[in-house]
Amino acid sequence: MQVKIIGGHGGVTKNYHATSFLIDESLLIDAGSVASGLDIHSQLKIDHILLSHTHLDHTKDLAFICDNCFGLKGKPFEVYCHETVRKAVKNHLFNDIIWPDFSVLPTKENPTINFNNISAEKELILGQYKVTPVHVNHPVEVPKQALGFIIEKDNKSIIFTQDTASTERIWEVGKKLDNLVAIFCEVSFPNHLQGVADLSDHHTPQTIKEELKKMPKEVPVYLAHLKPNYQEQLIQEITDLQEPRLHILYADDVRFNF
Ligand SMILES: [Zn+2]
Ligand SMILES: [Zn+2]
């Protein structure tokens, strides 16, 4: 599997894109930067889009990928998310006020986007991929809304947790896998903002050190979602942990092959 980090940050500014991970050019995890970070030819190659949760840094570019690609693809983008996420995106983004409802455009019969409900630990097969959504702990106001994803192809599995505070279930499920090759997780705020991290259900370097003890062993852990305004401090604090498993996604537009 090739994982392209279109955007791996927890914010948006020049040269820093919000979360969008693209697998083998066709399976997208989160839509934070898929339109701003990919050319339209590459956007058209995407078939399936998984949404981890509603937050804007994971959903906003749905608006623009639809605007870029409507009528050009011949079939809709198939979006997979929890029912609460579908309702929120339809009611608050594609509501014909903030943005047109591309689930009925350019026509009802041939729309640009099609939503599919998923729920935790119900596997789905998307082409060559087996996808297992697993509950993660983010955000507390909407319990059980946020999902991480375990994606398997050619007998290799990768865990993508996206936004989460300390969590349990995805690690329990991950430990049962005998073909796990990588974990993508998050660190958002530096240690001195632990209070903010706790209130918003995110990790700091000191909490990821504890989280690491619960994760499946002996696979590399890639840390994304660094807030751009604290990137330098985060890199320093993560480096100071001296954990050889940890890799920091400080640059966007990079690829990993597993
Ligand atoms: Zn986020
Ligand atoms: Zn979030």
Side-chain angles (χ1 to χ4, degrees), residues 88-102:
V89 170
K90 294 262 285 191
N91 291 340
H92 301 297
L93 182 60
F94 293 112
N95 59 3
D96 286 327
I97 300 171
I98 297 294
W99 207 243
D101 181 2
F102 278 98

Side-chain angles (χ1 to χ4, degrees), residues 5-258:
I5 311 301
I6 303 169
H9 283 85
V12 180
T13 184
K14 189 179 178 189
N15 300 328
Y16 294 81
H17 284 97
T19 304
S20 278
F21 296 167
L22 183 60
I23 298 174
D24 300 333
E25 302 192 320
S26 66
L27 173 60
L28 181 74
I29 303 176
D30 281 345
S33 56
V34 62
S36 53
L38 279 188
D39 61 38
I40 291 177
H41 177 69
S42 302
Q43 292 170 36
L44 286 165
K45 288 186 185 170
I46 294 170
D47 291 321
H48 305 290
I49 301 175
L50 305 170
L51 296 181
S52 62
H53 66 300
T54 54
H55 282 160
L56 208 53
D57 58 320
H58 301 255
T59 55
K60 71 178 176 63
D61 269 19
L62 275 183
F64 303 109
I65 192 176
C66 287
D67 197 38
N68 289 336
C69 299
F70 79 89
L72 297 178
K73 198 173 153 56
K75 59 181 179 180
F77 293 112
E78 296 291 341
V79 174
Y80 301 84
C81 58
H82 193 273
E83 188 181 3
T84 56
V85 175
R86 176 182 61 82
K87 283 183 179 161
V89 170
K90 294 262 285 191
N91 291 340
H92 301 297
L93 182 60
F94 293 112
N95 59 3
D96 286 327
I97 300 171
I98 297 294
W99 207 243
D101 181 2
F102 278 98
S103 68
V104 294
L105 286 173
T107 65
K108 247 183 182 165
E109 295 71 33
N110 187 21
T112 310
I113 194 166
N114 183 45
F115 287 89
N116 303 268
N117 287 343
I118 59 173
S119 50
E121 298 184 44
K122 295 234 165 68
E123 281 175 17
L124 59 157
I125 304 294
L126 302 178
Q128 312 169 72
Y129 307 94
K130 185 171 89 176
V131 178
T132 308
V134 184
H135 170 64
V136 295
N137 195 13
H138 176 92
V140 286
E141 304 85 61
V142 190
K144 299 197 190 307
Q145 179 223 96
L147 297 168
F149 301 104
I150 300 172
I151 299 187
E152 181 179 350
K153 187 185 103 172
D154 296 339
N155 200 31
K156 288 179 180 173
S157 293
I158 302 176
I159 294 178
F160 296 88
T161 60
Q162 316 310 309
D163 294 11
T164 185
S166 175
T167 199
E168 310 298 330
R169 184 60 186 154
I170 199 161
W171 309 135
E172 291 169 12
V173 176
K175 280 178 181 166
K176 294 179 188 152
L177 301 170
D178 56 11
N179 60 5
L180 186 68
V181 293
I183 295 169
F184 286 79
C185 192
E186 71 123 289
V187 171
S188 295
F189 295 104
N191 289 328
H192 80 278
L193 293 178
Q194 188 64 52
V196 177
D198 289 343
L199 284 171
S200 57
D201 292 304
H202 285 295
H203 275 295
T204 62
Q206 65 196 0
T207 61
I208 204 70
K209 184 179 173 68
E210 295 306 306
E211 197 73 8
L212 202 57
K213 296 173 186 168
K214 298 186 283 179
M215 293 182 193
K217 310 268 183 248
E218 292 166 7
V219 293
V221 177
Y222 297 87
L223 296 177
H225 209 266
L226 280 65
K227 293 287 181 184
N229 44 346
Y230 293 106
Q231 168 136 324
E232 296 309 318
Q233 191 176 354
L234 280 164
I235 291 171
Q236 188 59 54
E237 290 182 1
I238 296 165
T239 305
D240 288 347
L241 296 177
Q242 296 192 308
E243 294 280 0
R245 288 173 75 188
L246 295 180
H247 304 269
I248 307 169
L249 297 182
Y250 52 82
D252 295 328
D253 199 18
V254 292
R255 291 175 176 81
F256 300 90
N257 286 296
F258 297 100

